[in-house]
Amino acid sequence: MSSAGRAIDFEPDHRDVTNDSERSAPLPAVASESSIQTACGKGCPSFWPGNCQEIGCREQKTPGRLNGFGSSMLRDAIVFLLAAIVVVPLFRRFGVNAVIGYLVAGVVIGPHGLALVREVEGTHELAELGVVFMLFAIGLELSLERLRVMARYVFGLGVAQVALTGAVLAGGALLLGADWGQAAVLGGALALSSTAFVLQLLLERGELSTHFGRISLSVLLLQDLAVVPGLAIVTALGTEPDALAQALLVAAVKALAALALILVAGRLLLRPLYRMIAGTRSPELFAAATLLVVLGTAWATMQGGLSMALGAFLAGLMLAGTEYRHQIDADIRPARGLLLGLFFVSIGMLIDFRTIIPRLPEILLVTALLIIAKAAIMTALCRLFRLPLPLSVNIGLHLAQGGEFAFVLFSLAMGTAVLPVEAGQFLLAVVAITMAMTPLLGLLGQRAQAWLEEKGLGGAAALAAEAQLYENHVVIAGFGRVGRTIAEMLDARHIPWIAVDLDPANVAAARARGLHVFFGNASQEAIMHAAKVRRARAAVITLDDPAAAVAALRVIRRDLPDLPVILRARDAKNMDELLRRGANSVMPETIESSLLLGGMVLRTLGETDAQIDEVIGHLRLSTYRGRGSGAH
């Protein structure tokens, strides 16, 4: 048997599971027995300080002070805040992603580190609200129309990813000795990616609104839906395997009922509710209404067997078109950031190096195989959906980790004796490590896409894919200092734009900031066509090379004689040529910069603004006289 096969022991551990309560109790993820030891050294049925019944234990209840749940929660809250304040800024100072900082903080303060916080399960349940609020905020940024456009990727690419990845991973588990039930659980759980880690990464980089971000979100939304049959399958396998079809049918009916209830209630009730609340002019009541909507929809979808985050996403989608969207987003932003940070800390708390280090070679081997398999499958599927190779590789690497729902499915499988505890704990360690690697995988994806685009692989295709939803936008040819300034001015007025440039360094730097800049030659018809110039409001050509600027103008004017085209020119001679070839407006930078500099000189000498404007206007008129109305 291979080393991977030896690492994961699928043989049952022959635990005496005699009643339903014992069969259904999920086990702590990636935890050892020492995680439930109190200060007295005796085993205690509770993680909470103050609850130990051993005589003389310093964690016994003491009269006259806050005890039990309240004391523990207050202490844990202080520890979480201190860890975030100390660790995360330190990592940011060295240019390390904040998510890594939260994970390290979780490892340090968790039960397998300094044991400052021991209640992992309760902390993780609370922290999941961070993912709920994040999906709600994402729903606010979308619209039903945009979601309809994404449907091809949600129900096409997403379904294909879950089905094919699950089948391949289940096949691998069968080869390693798992039975059919265990293989189904393993394949289904490991096919899912981390919604929280990936979306947080995209939000930080401002890439959620890009074509890459929308495709990633589409796949993640479908994976959230796939949790419903996953939970039904694990439950049926642990109780009555013959009732699997009935369990899946019941789960589907409950899920559809919950979705229908949310969509109908959202359409009929949300806008009138917020109109009434806004009429009270009470910020506190408005914020309370938002919390009610988020938590209420999350609870409703949870009752239907769906993920809480999916329900919150639908609620955000229902409010996306209302006039209250911006205030709602402002109200939830602090809670969202704090709880999301707590979620990443809680994942770090699950990592037990005492469990990982003795089996580190096997864990690293399985981790590498999982990442390679998921990235390769996702990349291949993206190519089948006619996405360009650079974009496909980037998406594949971003979605190559395990997901938070694997913790739920594996813990349930261990509690119902479907999966042996040792194998489950091993797989949970693998999932935790892959999630922690998400920032690194994202960086590799960005670098791979930039490198492939520099090599000319899929440049025009990537541009066409990114711009397919663009309409009434501005096409910028050249993204040097002038192009960047124009883009910033368009952003200030919320006008969409897309840019092409031939400098790989410029393109890589812009894309690292999440900007819609692509490598390409603006004088080539294929590139301008890919930028959807036919649907643009205007085109701006800022190229340094006068010949390249003329060539780009010629390409546009060949099919679009009425499109407004604004150009940058070096001098009056260059301006004359561009105007003759059909430019609407031309800005000769040497003339205009000279006029502006002269105005600054006159202002320094005490001249008034009116006098300066008169002089500049006279000189501009005499310079541009006879050169057409497009000379400015």
Side-chain angles (χ1 to χ4, degrees):
M1 185 179 292
S2 68
S3 57
R6 291 193 300 271
I8 309 176
D9 182 9
F10 290 105
E11 291 299 319
D13 53 3
H14 304 294
R15 290 185 297 133
D16 182 17
V17 183
T18 57
N19 57 65
D20 290 341
S21 63
E22 289 179 356
R23 291 171 67 90
S24 60
L27 298 177
V30 202
S32 58
E33 291 183 2
S34 62
S35 62
I36 57 172
Q37 298 297 315
T38 58
C40 63
K42 301 298 180 92
C44 181
S46 173
F47 284 106
W48 304 105
N51 287 355
C52 184
Q53 304 302 315
E54 285 295 319
I55 298 176
C57 177
R58 64 178 172 84
E59 295 190 2
Q60 277 188 305
K61 295 181 178 179
T62 303
R65 67 179 178 89
L66 188 64
N67 291 306
F69 181 81
S71 173
S72 175
M73 288 296 291
L74 180 60
R75 188 201 64 182
D76 288 354
I78 293 172
V79 171
F80 284 128
L81 292 174
L82 281 174
I85 291 172
V86 173
V87 177
V88 176
L90 183 64
F91 274 70
R92 282 190 178 275
R93 183 173 183 180
F94 290 99
V96 180
N97 190 280
V99 172
I100 299 296
Y102 283 120
L103 290 172
V104 172
V107 172
V108 172
I109 68 176
H112 314 301
L114 300 178
L116 300 178
V117 176
R118 296 182 179 180
E119 218 313 289
V120 178
E121 186 175 352
T123 299
H124 190 70
E125 289 176 356
L126 175 64
E128 285 179 350
L129 291 178
V131 185
V132 169
F133 279 101
M134 180 176 66
L135 266 294
F136 177 75
I138 289 171
L140 283 175
E141 297 297 325
L142 292 174
S143 64
L144 286 174
E145 181 61 33
R146 181 170 290 181
L147 192 62
R148 290 190 192 100
V149 174
M150 292 166 54
R152 173 172 175 260
Y153 295 115
V154 175
F155 299 106
L157 183 59
V159 170
Q161 186 274 329
V162 172
L164 183 58
T165 305
V168 170
L169 295 178
L174 289 172
L175 292 176
L176 296 177
D179 60 35
W180 284 98
Q182 293 169 343
V185 172
L186 187 147
L190 294 182
L192 308 179
S193 305
S194 175
T195 300
F197 277 73
V198 175
L199 293 186
Q200 174 65 13
L201 208 59
L202 299 183
L203 285 170
E204 286 182 357
R205 300 196 310 236
E207 292 183 339
L208 196 57
S209 61
T210 65
H211 190 52
F212 158 69
R214 288 191 293 268
I215 294 174
S216 301
L217 174 61
S218 300
V219 176
L220 292 170
L221 287 176
L222 191 282
Q223 289 181 357
D224 281 356
L225 286 171
V227 174
V228 179
L231 290 172
I233 289 172
V234 174
T235 303
L237 289 174
T239 52
E240 301 177 20
D242 296 336
L244 179 58
Q246 181 180 354
L248 288 174
L249 178 61
V250 171
V253 171
K254 288 174 62 179
L256 290 174
L259 289 176
L261 178 63
I262 290 173
L263 292 174
V264 172
R267 285 286 191 180
L268 299 179
L269 301 178
L270 285 183
R271 193 184 290 268
L273 170 66
Y274 274 96
R275 186 180 298 117
M276 179 186 68
I277 298 296
T280 67
R281 298 184 181 275
S282 171
E284 295 81 8
L285 197 59
F286 193 92
T290 299
L291 289 176
L292 175 63
V293 169
V294 176
L295 299 180
T297 51
W299 177 83
T301 50
M302 184 175 64
Q303 298 307 305
L306 295 165
S307 74
M308 294 191 299
L310 184 62
F313 172 80
L314 292 175
L317 200 63
M318 293 297 99
L319 290 167
T322 69
E323 59 271 32
Y324 310 107
R325 175 170 67 91
H326 296 293
Q327 184 60 50
I328 292 171
D329 183 61
D331 286 343
I332 67 168
R333 190 177 295 271
R336 181 186 75 195
L338 188 62
L339 289 171
L340 198 58
L342 179 59
F343 175 82
F344 298 131
V345 171
S346 70
I347 295 297
M349 291 169 61
L350 295 174
I351 300 175
D352 184 3
F353 285 105
R354 289 172 297 182
T355 301
I356 294 173
I357 291 176
R359 308 185 66 184
L360 187 60
E362 296 97 333
I363 289 176
L364 291 180
L365 173 62
V366 175
T367 298
L369 291 174
L370 177 63
I371 289 174
I372 292 170
K374 293 189 69 174
I377 293 170
M378 189 73 239
T379 300
L381 288 174
C382 287
R383 294 292 290 150
L384 286 177
F385 275 73
R386 298 186 178 180
L387 295 174
L389 178 61
L391 180 62
S392 300
V393 172
N394 195 8
I395 294 172
L397 286 169
H398 271 81
L399 301 181
Q401 74 288 105
E404 47 271 7
F405 285 116
F407 291 101
V408 177
L409 294 173
F410 284 148
S411 295
L412 181 61
M414 289 187 287
T416 55
V418 174
L419 196 64
V421 174
E422 185 179 358
Q425 296 287 8
F426 180 94
L427 292 170
L428 287 172
V430 170
V431 171
I433 292 174
T434 62
M435 291 173 69
M437 292 177 64
T438 301
L440 176 60
L441 292 172
L443 180 62
L444 290 175
Q446 284 184 309
R447 296 279 177 86
Q449 180 173 355
W451 183 80
L452 290 170
E453 288 176 349
E454 286 180 22
K455 298 297 181 182
L457 297 174
L463 176 58
E466 179 76 22
Q468 67 174 342
L469 297 180
Y470 274 63
E471 194 168 5
N472 292 324
H473 59 293
V474 176
V475 176
I476 303 174
F479 205 71
R481 53 184 177 81
V482 178
R484 287 193 296 270
T485 302
I486 292 172
E488 290 172 2
M489 296 176 70
L490 293 173
D491 283 337
R493 299 303 305 159
H494 306 291
I495 298 173
W497 58 269
I498 196 162
V500 294
D501 195 282
L502 270 176
D503 187 336
N506 276 349
V507 174
R511 294 195 65 81
R513 295 166 52 201
L515 301 179
H516 310 159
V517 183
F518 289 83
F519 182 83
N521 187 344
S523 64
Q524 292 181 352
E525 187 173 356
I527 293 295
M528 297 307 286
H529 178 74
K532 299 297 183 285
V533 71
R534 292 177 179 274
R535 302 203 301 249
R537 290 174 61 182
V540 183
I541 300 175
T542 69
L543 302 174
D544 284 325
D545 184 359
V550 170
L553 177 61
R554 186 187 302 116
V555 167
I556 295 173
R557 281 290 176 252
R558 186 177 300 154
D559 297 319
L560 301 169
D562 299 324
L563 179 71
V565 183
I566 302 95
L567 289 95
R568 159 200 181 190
R570 283 191 175 181
D571 49 33
K573 181 180 178 182
N574 184 209
M575 178 181 66
D576 290 340
E577 182 181 9
L578 294 171
L579 288 171
R580 285 196 306 271
R581 292 183 179 275
N584 295 87
S585 298
V586 181
M587 179 63 68
E589 58 182 355
T590 54
I591 297 174
E592 287 299 321
S593 60
S594 299
L595 292 175
L596 292 175
L597 183 60
M600 293 174 64
V601 172
L602 293 177
R603 187 171 289 106
T604 303
L605 297 176
E607 297 296 313
T608 66
D609 288 343
Q611 292 169 330
I612 295 171
D613 290 341
E614 181 182 358
V615 172
I616 291 177
H618 176 74
L619 289 173
R620 183 178 282 136
L621 183 63
S622 62
T623 301
Y624 296 148
R625 184 179 290 117
R627 288 193 164 92
S629 60
H632 296 291

